[in-house]
Amino acid sequence: MPTSHDVKGLMKFLAREEWRECFDEVFYDHFGPVLDASDMDFEDIAEILGDVWAMTLWGCAFEDFLTQDFEVEGGNIVDEYERSEKAMFAPGLGSAMSFSNGSLTGRHCA
């Protein structure tokens, strides 16, 4: 089973279409206005700031995304990933912990 700091599986989960669209929505909330106003792509930020800082900014949007509930099957990517991992490694176990922030409103995507 993955360690608590291993996010490789979660990153693979992000590649699923329903989660990708949700992440794109959060990503746009973080960077869309400045990118649109300056007619830039996120890759332009990496060229200006360097890859390390660009990935730090990307990580901020990713962390925000992980806390949000969406109106898609599963609702929250961390909760859904946790359920899938339990189903794979320990069938029959319920979710031990919810990672979503109940105070946030659900988003519409996919």
Side-chain angles (χ1 to χ4, degrees):
M1 186 172 257
T3 64
S4 62
H5 294 91
D6 185 0
V7 296
K8 290 179 204 153
L10 195 54
M11 295 298 291
K12 286 183 184 177
F13 225 65
L14 178 60
R16 294 180 178 191
E17 184 177 341
E18 67 272 21
W19 295 118
R20 186 81 216 151
E21 291 177 13
C22 294
F23 177 73
D24 288 347
E25 186 179 307
V26 173
F27 185 85
Y28 184 82
D29 288 348
H30 279 261
F31 303 109
V34 72
L35 293 175
D36 290 347
S38 57
D39 195 31
M40 294 173 55
D41 292 323
F42 190 75
E43 292 76 23
D44 297 326
I45 291 177
E47 288 180 24
I48 295 167
L49 300 177
D51 289 337
V52 171
W53 287 111
M55 289 311 298
T56 300
L57 292 173
W58 185 94
C60 292
F62 182 65
E63 287 180 11
D64 185 22
F65 165 72
L66 295 177
T67 68
Q68 297 197 33
D69 291 323
F70 298 91
E71 292 184 8
V72 298
E73 187 175 341
N76 174 276
I77 191 171
V78 176
D79 292 337
E80 185 65 16
Y81 176 71
E82 180 185 51
R83 280 189 286 276
S84 75
E85 287 295 298
K86 283 193 173 148
M88 186 169 29
F89 291 106
L93 287 180
S95 180
M97 180 184 299
S98 175
F99 289 94
S100 61
N101 183 339
S103 67
L104 296 172
T105 59
R107 290 177 171 252
H108 304 277
C109 56

